[in-house]
Amino acid sequence: MSRLRGARAEVVPESVRRAGGVPEATVGRLPLYLRALTPLHDQGITNVASEELAALAGVRSTQLRKDLSHLGSYGVRGVGYDVDLLAAQIAQELGLTQEWPVVIVGLGNLGRALASYGGFSGRGFRIVALVDDDPAVVGTQVEGLTVTTLADLADSGPTVAIGVIATPAPAAQAVADQLVAMGIRSILNFAPGHLTVPDEVGVRSVDLATELQILAFHEQRRLLSVSPEDPLRGGRDREVAG
Amino acid sequence: MSRLRGARAEVVPESVRRAGGVPEATVGRLPLYLRALTPLHDQGITNVASEELAALAGVRSTQLRKDLSHLGSYGVRGVGYDVDLLAAQIAQELGLTQEWPVVIVGLGNLGRALASYGGFSGRGFRIVALVDDDPAVVGTQVEGLTVTTLADLADSGPTVAIGVIATPAPAAQAVADQLVAMGIRSILNFAPGHLTVPDEVGVRSVDLATELQILAFHEQRRLLSVSPEDPLRGGRDREVAG
DNA sequence: CAGTGTGAAACTCTTCACAGCA
DNA sequence: TGCTGTGAAGAGTTTCACACTG
């Protein structure tokens, strides 16, 4: 589900790419574990067993333990994991010991929703710039930041590590090109459609229609298989990492 | 990426679950293919080769052909695929020949952004209800629909197949429970955190912080590996279906 | 002969079974 | 005794190589 997929370049096998590293599937779940640990920390709980944490994160305990083993985890046999220590370890692995500066491009409904979303600060990210190309919007204040153009950002704006694209689909590729040109190598894309970027740039795409269509597939499957001789649909607790 | 992960229930092997079906990984890519086909259709292009369509969707041509082979595809050797026929086939497989009624729960910034998003109609979905629990919002008109409460919806609202949760995190589980109680078996969750639902309910979750943290992991990895003796990062064109 | 369809191989990911330690 | 950590087995996915066909 997140899912990595090659497009260009020779394929470097995971076994080589991962020199001293963590499998991609595990990376996709580390955020879930971190998210599950936070409320435990807030409740003053200091220790948690893999079974319990796995339930909170929505995975199996063996999976959790295997994942954590890749970061050379420090669980205690017979006891469990130290909540704060584990959270710190995962945060370090994900690179959240520093704050990554983020720009949001496109201040339509979605862009504004993202800008006002609380999930950035305190989780390793800070919005440092907001960009739009509508003259009526540029210069206005949104969430305490002055909206600029992409050109202004490249020219005289703050340094940015991650670009979030929340523009209409037709503009997304051009925006991505400009973000890449100004040195950004991580892009989160909310516009539908595939972005073509150089190999060294990471892109993750979130598309509402795609998600709904996947749900529709299973919904249809369910409706069809209720009637006949086939009582197996193996329904399972479904979740997507991203 | 989208990724499926069991949590409860005995594990039904894919080979059994997929009786006459399509692998989960393939299902996750069918929407991408459909999305890539639409502009071709609009341009009046009637035929496309797997190499070209794969490039538009951001996958490899072998992957595309293998995926399509699972729906018993009707490509023509030496020629390619009929654009309209292929689009129709995929749409049918995904269950988009009918319109699925959708409810959006939570009309904060995100919920409103989703409500005004154009990606629903014409793609197999229609928003038939908007729900919020704020008395100041209930009864108002948003995007041509009158906002109701969840209780009203269960009581006297239209039938709904898919629920979209766009509430704050603390409310999400309770909302999911109520959606399930009224018979909804497909949920798209935008609130951070794991939802616990019965086996027969499908859930997909989209979480901004998770996506950003995965990007941050790779960004950090890139920064660390630029300097030393390790010139392999196997940079690849990254994309997520989910 | 260009391009699809597909078994087989390679690889990744998940689950199992159990050794090992506090 | 209880729970972690992990090699090995099993399941799923991707890629390869090439047979096949319009």
Side-chain angles (χ1 to χ4, degrees):
Chain A
M1 231 161 277
S2 355
R3 236 152 280 144
L4 265 191
R5 162 173 338 122
R8 191 190 324 262
E10 66 264 39
V11 174
V12 182
E14 175 85 8
S15 46
V16 172
R17 227 186 72 239
R18 193 176 80 212
V22 177
E24 191 56 35
T26 296
V27 173
R29 282 184 298 263
L30 290 179
L32 308 189
Y33 304 151
L34 194 53
R35 208 173 57 185
L37 283 167
T38 306
L40 295 179
H41 167 88
D42 292 348
Q43 290 167 49
I45 297 170
T46 59
N47 186 268
V48 66
S50 66
E51 197 70 49
E52 194 187 345
L53 183 57
L56 290 171
V59 305
R60 306 225 167 157
S61 64
T62 48
Q63 174 118 270
L64 171 64
R65 292 204 302 278
K66 176 68 96 181
D67 283 341
L68 295 183
S69 78
H70 288 118
L71 13 152
S73 161
Y74 291 89
V76 181
R77 294 174 195 236
V79 178
Y81 299 89
D82 182 282
V83 169
D84 291 5
L85 177 59
L86 184 55
Q89 283 224 321
I90 295 175
Q92 165 152 40
E93 189 68 34
L94 291 173
L96 304 180
T97 51
Q98 58 190 292
E99 280 216 321
W100 298 97
V102 174
V103 57
I104 295 175
V105 183
L107 289 177
N109 288 301
L110 177 60
R112 284 166 198 271
L114 295 173
S116 64
Y117 175 63
F120 285 99
S121 36
R123 285 176 182 258
F125 305 93
R126 188 172 2 163
I127 302 175
V128 297
L130 298 176
V131 164
D132 204 292
D133 69 349
D134 181 345
V137 176
V138 173
T140 61
Q141 295 274 123
V142 174
E143 297 287 324
L145 288 169
T146 303
V147 179
T148 67
T149 64
L150 208 39
D152 285 345
L153 179 65
D155 241 37
S156 55
T159 305
V160 172
I162 299 177
V164 176
I165 298 179
T167 66
Q173 182 63 59
V175 168
D177 293 345
Q178 290 175 80
L179 291 177
V180 169
M182 55 189 278
I184 288 177
R185 283 180 300 183
S186 294
I187 293 176
L188 178 53
N189 176 39
F190 285 92
H194 172 71
L195 292 183
T196 300
V197 296
D199 292 351
E200 71 275 11
V201 178
V203 176
R204 296 186 66 86
S205 284
V206 175
D207 179 20
L208 177 65
T210 297
E211 298 299 327
L212 288 174
Q213 287 172 3
I214 295 170
L215 284 172
F217 172 87
H218 294 292
E219 182 79 18
Q220 175 186 238
R221 181 62 52 111
R222 236 173 262 129
L223 293 181
L224 292 178
S225 64
V226 162
S227 25
E229 80 294 349
D230 183 4
L232 52 81
R233 287 140 303 118
R236 289 197 279 166
D237 195 331
R238 287 181 186 76
E239 269 285 358
V240 199
Chain B
M1 170 215 185
S2 5
R3 234 156 282 144
L4 263 192
R5 158 176 342 122
R8 189 187 327 262
E10 66 265 37
V11 174
V12 182
E14 176 84 7
S15 45
V16 173
R17 227 186 72 239
R18 193 175 79 211
V22 178
E24 193 54 35
T26 295
V27 173
R29 283 185 297 264
L30 290 180
L32 307 189
Y33 304 151
L34 195 52
R35 208 173 56 185
L37 283 168
T38 307
L40 295 179
H41 167 88
D42 292 347
Q43 291 167 48
I45 297 171
T46 58
N47 186 268
V48 66
S50 67
E51 196 70 51
E52 193 187 345
L53 182 58
L56 290 171
V59 305
R60 305 226 170 158
S61 64
T62 48
Q63 173 120 267
L64 170 63
R65 291 204 302 277
K66 178 68 94 179
D67 283 341
L68 295 183
S69 78
H70 288 118
L71 12 153
S73 161
Y74 291 90
V76 181
R77 297 180 192 229
V79 177
Y81 299 89
D82 182 281
V83 169
D84 291 4
L85 176 60
L86 183 55
Q89 283 225 321
I90 295 175
Q92 164 151 40
E93 189 68 35
L94 290 173
L96 305 180
T97 50
Q98 59 189 290
E99 281 217 320
W100 298 97
V102 173
V103 58
I104 295 176
V105 184
L107 290 178
N109 287 300
L110 178 60
R112 284 165 198 270
L114 294 174
S116 65
Y117 175 63
F120 284 99
S121 37
R123 284 176 181 260
F125 306 92
R126 189 174 3 167
I127 303 174
V128 297
L130 299 176
V131 164
D132 203 292
D133 68 350
D134 181 346
V137 176
V138 174
T140 62
Q141 295 273 124
V142 173
E143 297 286 324
L145 287 170
T146 302
V147 179
T148 68
T149 64
L150 209 38
D152 285 344
L153 179 64
D155 242 38
S156 56
T159 305
V160 172
I162 300 178
V164 176
I165 298 179
T167 66
Q173 182 64 58
V175 168
D177 292 345
Q178 290 175 80
L179 291 177
V180 169
M182 55 190 277
I184 288 178
R185 283 180 299 183
S186 295
I187 293 176
L188 178 53
N189 175 37
F190 285 92
H194 172 71
L195 292 182
T196 299
V197 296
D199 292 351
E200 72 276 11
V201 178
V203 176
R204 295 186 65 87
S205 284
V206 175
D207 178 19
L208 178 65
T210 297
E211 298 297 327
L212 288 173
Q213 288 172 3
I214 294 170
L215 284 172
F217 172 87
H218 293 292
E219 182 81 17
Q220 175 185 239
R221 181 62 50 113
R222 237 174 261 131
L223 292 180
L224 293 178
S225 64
V226 162
S227 25
E229 79 296 347
D230 185 3
L232 51 81
R233 290 143 301 118
R236 290 197 279 166
D237 195 333
R238 288 180 186 74
E239 268 286 359
V240 198

